[in-house]
C-alpha cells in the first residue's frame, strides 16, 4: 500500500486528510468518530470571542438544489456558528481531546478585539493543542475582525500572537478575497507557519413564499462539491510561491478531489461538508480512493506528486487555439430526445426525418457531447 504519511506544521500525520472545523468536530466524542473513520488529524470547531455566535439557531441547515442540471450536486446552506463553548470550556475540551485521541488536535480561534487573539492563543497552547488555526472569516455572518481587510489586520497581529504562543500558527483565509496569493504571501512574511485556503462563501437564499431570507432570516454560509475548483485554482497559484504548507479546504468529496489538491500543491486536505452529508465514514472511502490513485500511478509517497500539476498550467498565450474537433452522432445510441437540438446555440444540429445530424456550423465546442444522456455524441478531430 502507498505511504500516505505527511509532515504538516512539524506534526507527523498518518495521512493528509483532516476533519475540518465544524459542529462535527466540536466535542471529543465527535472528534473520536472522525478519528475512527481514519482522519490524519482534527481541527476543532472554532472558539469565537463573540459570545452571540456561540449559540446557533435551529434548524440551521438546508440542502439546496440537489439536482442541478442533470448531475448530482447540491448546496449546503447553513447557519451554524461558533463552538458553543466559552474559552475555558473550549480549552478543557482540547485537553480532553489530546488525551482521548491519538491523532493531532488543531485548535481554531476567531476574535474581534486585538488582545483576545494573543490571549486565546496562549490558552490553546496551555491546553495542549498541537497547532492553531486563526479563523479570519465566518460566512455565517458573525462579527469577525472588524476591518475591511482581515488578512492585513492579522498580518499586523501575528507577531504579537507569536510572542505569547509557540504553537504553529495557521491563518484560515476567507473565500472571498480579491487576491488570495498576495494575502498568503503577506501572512507568510508576517510569520504564519501554514495557511488554510479557504473558508466557505457567504450567500443568501430567499424563500419565495415569505419573500424573506431562507432558514433563520439572514445571510448564510454556502458550499458544496462545486467549490473545489476555486480552491484548486488558488492553491495551485499560491503553493509554488510559498515556503509554508497549505491545507486545502472546500468542496472535497472524494479521494480523487484530495489527489487533485495535492497535485495542486496542498500538503493536507480538509473535509467538512462531505463528512456532514455522508457521515464520518466518508473518510474511509476517500483514503481508499487516494491509495487507488497512487497505486495506479505508481506513487509510493505523497511527496512524489505534491505540486506536480502547478508547472503544467499554461499561460493564456500558450493555450492551443488551433486544433479543432467536431461533434459526431452515433445513430445507434441516439434516442432522439432533442436535447442537443435545443442546447446547440450554434444551430449546428439538424433533423433529417427521424435522424439527427451535425452540420458544418459545428464549432466543436463539445457541450452537446457533455450533455448527451445516452452518450451518443462523440468528438472527432478535424
Ligand atoms: C456547518 C459548518 C460549520 C463550520 N464551522 C466552521 C468553524 O467553526 N470554523 C472554521 O474555521 N470553519 C468552519 N466551517 C468551514 C469548514 O471548516 C470548511 O472550511 C468549509 O466548509 C469548506 O470545506 P467543505 O467544502 O469540505 O465543507 C464550517 C462549515 C460548515 C459547513
Amino acid at each position: 500500500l502507498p505511504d500516505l504519511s505527511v509532515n504538516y506544521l512539524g506534526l507527523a500525520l498518518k495521512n493528509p486528510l483532516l476533519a475540518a472545523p465544524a459542529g462535527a468536530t466540536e466535542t471529543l466524542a465527535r472528534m473520536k468518530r472522525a478519528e475512527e473513520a481514519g482522519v490524519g488529524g482534527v481541527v476543532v470547531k472554532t472558539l469565537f470571542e463573540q459570545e452571540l455566535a456561540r449559540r446557533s439557531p435551529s434548524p440551521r441547515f438546508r440542502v439546496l438544489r440537489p439536482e442541478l442540471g442533470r448531475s448530482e450536486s447540491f448546496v449546503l446552506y447553513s447557519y451554524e456558528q461558533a463552538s458553543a463553548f466559552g474559552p475555558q470550556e473550549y480549552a478543557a475540551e482540547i485537553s480532553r481531546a489530546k488525551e482521548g485521541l491519538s491523532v493531532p488536535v488543531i485548535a481554531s480561534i476567531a476574535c474581534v478585539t486585538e488582545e483576545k487573539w494573543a490571549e486565546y492563543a496562549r490558552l490553546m497552547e496551555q491546553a495542549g493543542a498541537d497547532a492553531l488555526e486563526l479563523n479570519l472569516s465566518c460566512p455565517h455572518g458573525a462579527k469577525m475582525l472588524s476591518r475591511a481587510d482581515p488578512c492585513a489586520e492579522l498580518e499586523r497581529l501575528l507577531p504579537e500572537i507569536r510572542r505569547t504562543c509557540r504553537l504553529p500558527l495557521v491563518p484560515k483565509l476567507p473565500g472571498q478575497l480579491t487576491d488570495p496569493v498576495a494575502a498568503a504571501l503577506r501572512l507568510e512574511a508576517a510569520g504564519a507557519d501554514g495557511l488554510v485556503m479557504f473558508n466557505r462563501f457567504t450567500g443568501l437564499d430567499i424563500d419565495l413564499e415569505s419573500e424573506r431570507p431562507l432558514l433563520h432570516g439572514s445571510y448564510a454560509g454556502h458550499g458544496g462539491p462545486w467549490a473545489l475548483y476555486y480552491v484548486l485554482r488558488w492553491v495551485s497559484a499560491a503553493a509554488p510561491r510559498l515556503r509554508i504548507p497549505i491545507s486545502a479546504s472546500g468542496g472535497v468529496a472524494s479521494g480523487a478531489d484530495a489527489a487533485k489538491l495535492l497535485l495542486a500543491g496542498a500538503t493536507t486536505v480538509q473535509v467538512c461538508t462531505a463528512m456532514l452529508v455522508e457521515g464520518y465514514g466518508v473518510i474511509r472511502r476517500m483514503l481508499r480512493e487516494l491509495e487507488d490513485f497512487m497505486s495506479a500511478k505508481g506513487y509510493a509517497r505523497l511527496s512524489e506528486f505534491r505540486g506536480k500539476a502547478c508547472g503544467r498550467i499554461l499561460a493564456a498565450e500558450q493555450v492551443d487555439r488551433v486544433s479543432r474537433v467536431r461533434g459526431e452522432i452515433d445513430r445507434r445510441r441516439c434516442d432522439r430526445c432533442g436535447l442537443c437540438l435545443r442546447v446547440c446555440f450554434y444551430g449546428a444540429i439538424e433533423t433529417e426525418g427521424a435522424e439527427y445530424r451535425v452540420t458544418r456550423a459545428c464549432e466543436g465546442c463539445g457541450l452537446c457531447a457533455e450533455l448527451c444522456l445516452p452518450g451518443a455524441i462523440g468528438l472527432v478531430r478535424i
Side-chain angles (χ1 to χ4, degrees):
L1 277 182
D3 177 4
L4 295 185
S5 67
V6 64
N7 183 309
Y8 173 59
L9 310 168
L11 305 169
L13 307 186
K14 63 182 174 182
N15 69 63
L17 296 192
L18 301 178
T25 63
E26 191 170 12
T27 60
L28 169 60
R30 294 180 221 164
M31 290 182 241
K32 191 93 199 153
R33 292 181 69 187
E35 180 181 66
E36 280 161 9
V39 289
V42 290
V43 188
V44 188
K45 172 83 186 156
T46 304
L47 161 66
F48 275 56
E49 176 189 351
Q50 196 192 17
E51 280 181 44
L52 174 79
R54 294 180 196 157
R55 183 186 282 250
S56 300
S58 149
R60 50 186 162 270
F61 287 110
R62 288 294 293 267
V63 175
L64 310 178
R65 303 170 90 183
E67 329 81 12
L68 210 57
R70 68 167 233 241
S71 323
E72 273 186 37
S73 186
F74 64 91
V75 175
L76 182 70
Y77 187 78
S78 66
Y79 195 75
E80 180 198 278
Q81 299 208 290
S83 166
F85 298 141
Q88 297 307 330
E89 293 165 290
Y90 188 91
E93 202 61 19
I94 295 282
S95 302
R96 272 166 32 88
K98 274 307 293 171
E99 248 169 58
L101 302 177
S102 56
V103 295
V105 176
I106 300 172
S108 167
I109 58 171
C111 299
V112 188
T113 49
E114 296 192 0
E115 327 75 74
K116 288 289 177 192
W117 284 100
E119 184 186 320
Y120 282 8
R122 188 170 53 248
L123 196 57
M124 293 309 117
E125 182 179 339
Q126 286 161 355
D130 291 298
L132 182 61
E133 284 190 6
L134 307 168
N135 182 3
L136 290 184
S137 71
C138 175
H140 312 121
K143 189 160 178 257
M144 307 288 284
L145 286 173
S146 46
R147 310 256 163 76
D149 185 352
C151 293
E153 193 163 353
L154 189 68
E155 190 188 333
R156 193 169 52 71
L157 294 175
L158 261 174
E160 201 167 314
I161 301 173
R162 166 72 65 219
R163 260 196 294 283
T164 58
C165 172
R166 283 161 304 175
L167 296 177
L169 300 175
V170 190
K172 178 168 181 172
L173 300 186
Q176 285 135 320
L177 290 173
T178 355
D179 190 346
V181 177
L185 289 169
R186 288 196 335 244
L187 288 164
E188 179 184 60
D193 298 290
L195 293 167
V196 182
M197 296 172 83
F198 296 95
N199 211 319
R200 301 203 305 165
F201 306 110
T202 304
L204 173 70
D205 197 6
I206 295 174
D207 173 51
L208 283 178
E209 178 55 36
S210 64
E211 301 175 345
R212 290 172 195 279
L214 195 69
L215 200 58
H216 54 288
S218 187
Y219 298 120
H222 73 293
W226 47 267
L228 178 72
Y229 308 96
Y230 178 87
V231 184
L232 277 166
R233 183 250 189 275
W234 286 114
V235 168
S236 69
R241 302 188 54 192
L242 291 169
R243 291 179 310 278
I244 55 175
I246 297 174
S247 188
S249 175
V252 180
S254 68
D257 294 345
K260 290 177 190 183
L261 285 163
L262 296 167
L263 280 163
T267 298
T268 57
V269 173
Q270 303 200 7
V271 185
C272 177
T273 297
M275 219 166 56
L276 300 186
V277 300
E278 283 190 59
Y280 293 92
V282 74
I283 298 292
R284 236 171 260 124
R285 167 173 69 76
M286 288 185 181
L287 288 170
R288 230 180 14 250
E289 290 164 348
L290 181 56
E291 281 169 356
D292 288 347
F293 162 77
M294 290 175 67
S295 300
K297 288 283 185 177
Y299 294 130
R301 273 171 292 281
L302 299 177
S303 55
E304 290 169 23
F305 65 100
R306 183 180 307 117
K308 195 170 174 183
C310 298
R312 297 174 169 178
I313 299 169
L314 301 179
E317 56 274 16
Q318 296 172 301
V319 171
D320 176 6
R321 292 161 208 267
V322 178
S323 309
R324 281 277 178 266
V325 295
R326 72 191 293 275
E328 197 171 75
I329 297 177
D330 177 347
R331 296 198 171 149
R332 285 160 312 173
R333 294 176 103 173
C334 172
D335 63 1
R336 298 167 191 90
C337 70
L339 181 72
C340 55
L341 203 60
R342 284 198 303 280
V343 301
C344 181
F345 53 86
Y346 295 103
I349 310 280
E350 271 182 3
T351 49
E352 208 177 63
E355 304 291 353
Y356 283 62
R357 222 164 49 81
V358 180
T359 72
R360 294 174 67 84
C362 176
E363 284 265 340
C365 78
L367 183 59
C368 59
E370 287 296 311
L371 295 175
C372 178
L373 279 174
I377 308 183
L379 298 176
V380 290
R381 287 222 166 273
I382 50 173

